[in-house]
Amino acid sequence: KQEVTQIPAALSVPEGENLVLNCSFTDSAIYNLQWFRQDPGKGLTSLLLIQSSQREQTSGRLNASLDKSSGRSTLYIAASQPGDSATYLCAVRAAGGGADGLTFGKGTHLIIQP
Amino acid sequence: GAVVSQHPSRVICKSGTSVKIECRSLDFQATTMFWYRQFPKQSLMLMATSNEGSKATYEQGVEKDKFLINHASLTLSTLTVTSAHPEDSSFYICSARGQTGVHYGYTFGSGTRLTVV
């Protein structure tokens, strides 16, 4: 059974710093990996999607990497801003047929101090 | 971009009553929708996969008679929590995947906070 772990569980940094969020998964047979942002009491906003054949994806100040063989992904946030404060979730979709809902980590709760 | 609308955003109900949550894909047809539940400080957990025109597939440990799913059209799936109890209080969120396969990622609704008193 796939398990997704996110480290750290919480992170608080001053505005302007660059930071890295980590995600690991136990089964490397994935179709893709997706990073989401969740604001308190809200739904999920997709940030980046990396297909299993890709190594990284970039969007603005965000860069996500994927090392499928080692079961790891990182989300790099450059020049952090208070508006980046949220919970960041990592989720994987299993490869192959069958049910293909996502398996989520518990998230990293990020606070950017003004 | 793809938009999924979920309603209601919040609901408070009495123990023993039933609550229906709607999930609509607004600008694309969703052959498959997913229902998740999230308890405080926990991961989103997949409850069931809803396929248009067929029975939903439930994850292990999820009672299909308690969580009724109907996916009668390509744009609407509903989750009904029957005979709700306080332990059903949670954040429920739906997700949809498009018909054409263009949407390799998943689009999520805004979620429903259910409180059973």
Side-chain angles (χ1 to χ4, degrees), chain B residues 46-116:
Chain B
L46 180 65
M47 299 175 65
T49 301
S50 168
N51 295 298
E52 186 267 337
S54 64
K55 291 183 178 181
T57 303
Y58 291 82
E59 296 299 302
Q60 190 173 11
V62 178
E63 300 175 59
K64 63 180 181 180
D65 294 330
K66 181 169 186 61
F67 298 100
L68 300 179
I69 291 173
N70 184 283
H71 194 158
S73 76
L74 285 170
T75 59
L76 174 64
S77 176
T78 61
L79 168 68
T80 301
V81 183
T82 63
S83 187
H85 292 286
E87 56 266 30
D88 298 324
S89 298
S90 186
F91 187 68
Y92 294 85
I93 190 166
C94 68
S95 173
R97 187 181 71 185
Q99 181 180 21
T100 64
V102 170
H103 303 283
Y104 292 109
Y106 294 84
T107 303
F108 282 78
S110 55
T112 297
R113 173 72 61 191
L114 171 63
T115 304
V116 184

Side-chain angles (χ1 to χ4, degrees), chain A residues 6 34-36 38 44 87-91 104-107, chain B residues 44:
Chain A
Q6 290 187 246
Q34 201 163 355
W35 282 92
F36 295 89
Q38 184 177 29
L44 275 62
T87 296
Y88 290 79
L89 298 169
C90 167
F104 283 84
K106 291 185 179 181
Chain B
L44 275 76

Side-chain angles (χ1 to χ4, degrees), chain A residues 6-111:
Chain A
Q6 290 187 246
I7 295 174
L11 181 63
S12 180
V13 300
E15 179 179 5
E17 285 201 5
N18 303 324
L19 53 99
V20 175
L21 308 182
N22 298 288
C23 172
S24 61
F25 46 95
T26 55
D27 186 348
S28 62
I30 65 170
Y31 185 80
N32 59 37
L33 181 145
Q34 201 163 355
W35 282 92
F36 295 89
R37 169 187 173 135
Q38 184 177 29
D39 292 284
K42 303 293 185 182
L44 275 62
T45 301
S46 179
L47 299 174
L48 289 165
L49 170 69
I50 310 177
Q51 302 294 346
S52 61
S53 59
Q54 297 175 325
R55 298 283 293 183
E56 66 176 343
Q57 284 287 328
T58 298
S59 175
R61 294 183 293 108
L62 304 179
N63 175 276
S65 69
L66 174 64
D67 184 341
K68 196 177 79 164
S69 61
S70 67
R72 294 181 181 179
S73 175
T74 61
L75 178 66
Y76 175 81
I77 303 176
S80 58
Q81 302 171 358
D84 295 331
S85 297
T87 296
Y88 290 79
L89 298 169
C90 167
V92 297
R93 177 182 171 187
D100 53 1
L102 301 180
T103 301
F104 283 84
K106 291 185 179 181
T108 294
H109 181 53
L110 176 64
I111 296 175

